[in-house]
DNA sequence: CCCATTTAACCAAACGTTTGCGTATTGATT
DNA sequence: AATCAATACGCAAACGTTTGGTTAAATGGG
């Protein structure tokens, strides 16, 4: 049922019907016409098309709902499902905190790609007070997001320019501490398995090596995706290149899990023959054999903090960009031990 | 910012802009034009006017939108983040398939609780054509959801009454096959570590045992949460109760991971001293030592299938409830071996 | 009875999209 | 060189409202 149909049935024009229905004081209709129109409206159960009405009146539009009491949690879908263990925990922290404040969390899980119409739609459709972005995200992307969401909190691995609220855990420092731990156990030939470009944890590795004036040798470095399979293949590559390393540093746990498997398959004992250490401390790590030594980063707490400052900003609690650096600590378990000093030479 | 303005700036017509943004396959634009348009979109933060869009596409009033080209993916947030490896994979499958059909996926991750106002709002806020429900979900809940979403597809572990579209992988059969594999290796005293009530895989275990007229002994059964830590603690409990089992069946991989750890800590060698098998075949399983033997369930494919039939239903492809049973197969790896026959007695 | 004023109703132009159809431009195929 | 099919794009008509400007009829005061 539309205005047009009503108009037809009442034998008047659309505008008249519209005016009657909206009770525009300026130009009333005759009582007879009004009655007739209302009669039809009642009989047909007409209800105005809000889309059309909003379109015309231009109101109610903007994608920024003043107070929806909901936030979006955007995270780039990573290739390997397992990698989600980290982000999943992060998200859970956000959810917990949001719940406390009576906020609702909408998830946007996607390989963020502006030029992907689906993604575009997903983002512009969602009406939220603010958004938390998880994972790696470049500046351009953040600028884009900021246009769509009131606020953006970045809760991720690498550090950003100070323009956004961000809660991070200093990846460089963490990596340095991990490597330092190996060094203090007497290791000098420490390999790296993981991504190398644009990976701050790799920088930490390099810096820690340099600090001890230890060489960062090409042979010791394997550039591979930071996934279980990436770690597995990376370790194999490493073993093909050389065998005199005594320890391995992986930038995250799941890479380490894959690497450990490959190492063990080659007959290397951990930690007797080779030590391995990584960063994150995801839950699973404690159920491996041996239990992985790693840098514990407070993932859940990071999520909670992210939600906390996002909501604080939404509610006007602060206006300047806030950077929160979460503490980490070394969790020594079973995969690290003193260096054997001797070369493995023909290990397997 | 409107299409018109973008069109002006890009020097093309409105229709071209619209087509690019909505990715209409019929009439593509040149790459150069596309890039230019997206650049402007990004720079200006353009967001389509939903009122106009709805008006044009003929969307109705209420929360049931005939054609939003989006589906929701609802899943109960599980306690342990790691458990998400399964659901995460499932979701990814859904996403892949949805993307192919140009559908957008909105995630609703929450402990589904009708009485929780936040949940209620989250659900009623979201405007989607249909929803896929992942994980365990009772009938009451499904009925509730059906009120808010046009269609509900259940993609989960357990089987349901035939009222909804559902894609499942027969948990009972899978469990039976796993147990049968152990039996064919000569195992008779097979323990169970996992949840027992309302868990179909447990039923499968029982049935397989009975089929061989093997006793389902109370001592062999440990009721524990199906998580890594649950598995770990469960195995410890089991070892306290008895030591003469020769094999363990866990209803899912992550439980098995925890159990394996506990077993190994007690000096038991896998598979020499005790075999272990489970269900799911999540990615990680191959990087454990030993590699876990498990029933492979086609998780990604299940997700894809779920999206497929959901979209098919939305678009009127079928009307009667559809039940799809996905095939599984046994993936024999390293954690299973012939029974030692002899009791372990004082193993450690 | 004429002009001014009110009243009653209409016309048509927006609002920002989507989309069927038409037309150039291109490239490949005879 | 002519033909044909893609390809890349534009035109314009919707979608259901609202509203300013207008017209025609009714009213009223002199």
């Amino acid at each position: 049922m539309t205005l047009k149909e009503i108009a037809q049935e009442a034998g008047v024009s659309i505008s008249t019907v519209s005016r009657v229905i909206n009770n525009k004081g300026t130009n009333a209709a005759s009582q007879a016409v009004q009655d007739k129109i209302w009669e039809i409206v009642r009989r047909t159960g007409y209800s105005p098309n809000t889309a059309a009405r909003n379109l015309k009146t231009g109101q109610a539009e903007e994608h920024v709902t003043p107070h929806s009491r909901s936030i979006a949690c955007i995270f780039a879908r990573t290739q390997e499902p397992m990698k989600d263990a980290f982000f999943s925990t992060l998200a859970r922290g956000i959810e917990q905190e949001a719940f406390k404040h009576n906020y609702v969390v909408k998830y946007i899980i996607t390989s963020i790609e502006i030029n992907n119409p689906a993604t575009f739609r997903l983002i512009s459709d969602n009406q939220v007070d603010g958004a938390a972005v998880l994972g790696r995200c470049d500046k351009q992307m953040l600028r884009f997001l900021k246009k769509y969401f009131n606020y953006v909190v970045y809760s991720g691995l690498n550090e950003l320019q100070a323009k956004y609220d961000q809660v991070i855990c200093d990846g460089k420092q963490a990596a340095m501490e991990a490597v330092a731990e190996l060094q203090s156990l007497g290791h000098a030939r420490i390999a790296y398995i993981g991504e190398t470009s644009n990976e701050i944890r790799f920088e930490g590795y390099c810096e820690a090596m340099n600090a001890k004036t230890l060489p960062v040798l090409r042979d010791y470095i394997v550039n591979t995706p930071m996934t279980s399979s990436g770690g597995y293949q990376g370790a194999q590559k490493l073993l093909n290149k050389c065998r005199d390393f005594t320890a391995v540093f992986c930038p995250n746990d799941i890479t380490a899990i894959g690497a450990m498997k490959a190492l063990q398959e080659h007959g290397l004992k951990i930690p007797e023959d080779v030590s391995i250490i990584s960063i994150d401390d995801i839950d699973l790590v404690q159920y491996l054999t041996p239990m992985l030594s790693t840098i514990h980063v407070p993932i859940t707490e990071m999520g909670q903090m992210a939600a906390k400052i996002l909501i604080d900003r939404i509610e006007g609690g602060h206006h300047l960009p806030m950077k929160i650096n979460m503490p980490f600590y070394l969790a020594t378990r079973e995969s690290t031990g003193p260096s054997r000093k001797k070369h493995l030479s023909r290990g397997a």
Side-chain angles (χ1 to χ4, degrees), chain A residues 55-101:
Chain A
L55 172 58
K56 189 57 195 174
T57 56
Q59 54 156 287
E61 214 4 70
E62 287 325 290
H63 55 263
V64 180
T65 324
H67 203 58
S68 68
R69 267 199 119 66
S70 65
I71 59 179
C73 180
I74 303 175
F75 53 115
R77 157 77 62 185
T78 54
Q79 284 304 85
E80 291 258 319
M82 284 311 301
K83 204 165 182 173
D84 281 16
F86 181 89
F87 293 114
S88 180
T89 308
L90 208 49
R92 179 134 183 81
I94 290 183
E95 209 172 275
Q96 283 173 358
E97 190 64 27
F99 184 78
K100 272 192 215 154
H101 296 259

Side-chain angles (χ1 to χ4, degrees), chain A residues 29-265:
Chain A
S30 71
Q31 198 56 51
V33 170
Q34 286 190 40
D35 290 348
K36 183 157 200 169
I37 289 175
W38 280 118
E39 188 274 322
I40 300 177
V41 167
R42 225 168 307 136
R43 176 158 46 75
T44 60
Y46 164 83
S47 125
N49 179 321
T50 41
R53 172 175 282 176
N54 289 347
L55 172 58
K56 189 57 195 174
T57 56
Q59 54 156 287
E61 214 4 70
E62 287 325 290
H63 55 263
V64 180
T65 324
H67 203 58
S68 68
R69 267 199 119 66
S70 65
I71 59 179
C73 180
I74 303 175
F75 53 115
R77 157 77 62 185
T78 54
Q79 284 304 85
E80 291 258 319
M82 284 311 301
K83 204 165 182 173
D84 281 16
F86 181 89
F87 293 114
S88 180
T89 308
L90 208 49
R92 179 134 183 81
I94 290 183
E95 209 172 275
Q96 283 173 358
E97 190 64 27
F99 184 78
K100 272 192 215 154
H101 296 259
N102 234 300
Y103 274 70
V104 141
V105 182
K106 296 180 178 183
Y107 287 81
I108 301 181
I109 309 181
T110 180
S111 52
I112 302 190
E113 260 245 43
I114 316 179
N115 296 356
N116 176 338
T119 303
F120 177 77
R121 186 146 192 174
L122 185 57
I123 290 182
S124 54
D125 268 13
N126 267 290
Q127 309 216 347
V128 292
D129 291 340
V133 182
L134 276 43
R136 248 183 265 220
C137 196
D138 62 19
K139 275 174 281 182
Q140 192 198 9
M141 191 61 216
L142 283 170
R143 263 201 303 276
F144 171 76
L145 288 172
K146 194 142 190 181
K147 296 219 176 89
Y148 287 91
F149 299 107
N150 282 356
Y151 310 112
V152 173
V153 168
Y154 176 82
S155 176
L157 281 9
N158 297 5
E159 191 163 345
L160 251 54
Q161 314 298 24
K163 253 170 106 182
Y164 309 90
D165 284 337
Q166 54 189 300
V167 7
I168 55 165
C169 186
D170 192 331
K172 194 171 181 181
Q173 288 297 331
M176 287 175 68
E177 179 149 344
V179 175
E181 165 71 5
L182 292 174
Q183 290 168 341
S184 76
L185 286 166
H187 296 277
R189 288 180 299 279
I190 303 172
Y192 175 90
I193 300 178
E195 290 169 24
T196 54
S197 65
N198 203 17
E199 175 53 57
I200 200 147
R201 295 179 181 183
F202 177 60
E203 288 176 32
Y205 162 82
C206 293
E207 195 156 317
M209 294 301 276
N210 287 332
K212 287 274 180 186
T213 62
L214 292 174
V216 178
L217 292 177
R218 267 256 303 284
D219 274 357
Y220 290 170
I221 307 223
V222 182
N223 183 13
T224 185
M226 286 155 63
T227 63
S228 299
S229 63
Y232 183 79
Q233 287 157 17
Q236 290 183 322
K237 264 189 232 163
L238 176 65
L239 287 162
N240 285 340
K241 288 204 283 186
C242 65
R243 294 186 151 253
D244 62 348
F245 59 89
T246 65
V248 174
F249 165 65
C250 290
N252 69 10
D253 289 339
I254 50 168
T255 308
I257 292 175
M260 207 155 82
K261 178 70 182 169
L263 260 22
Q264 288 173 331
E265 279 184 358

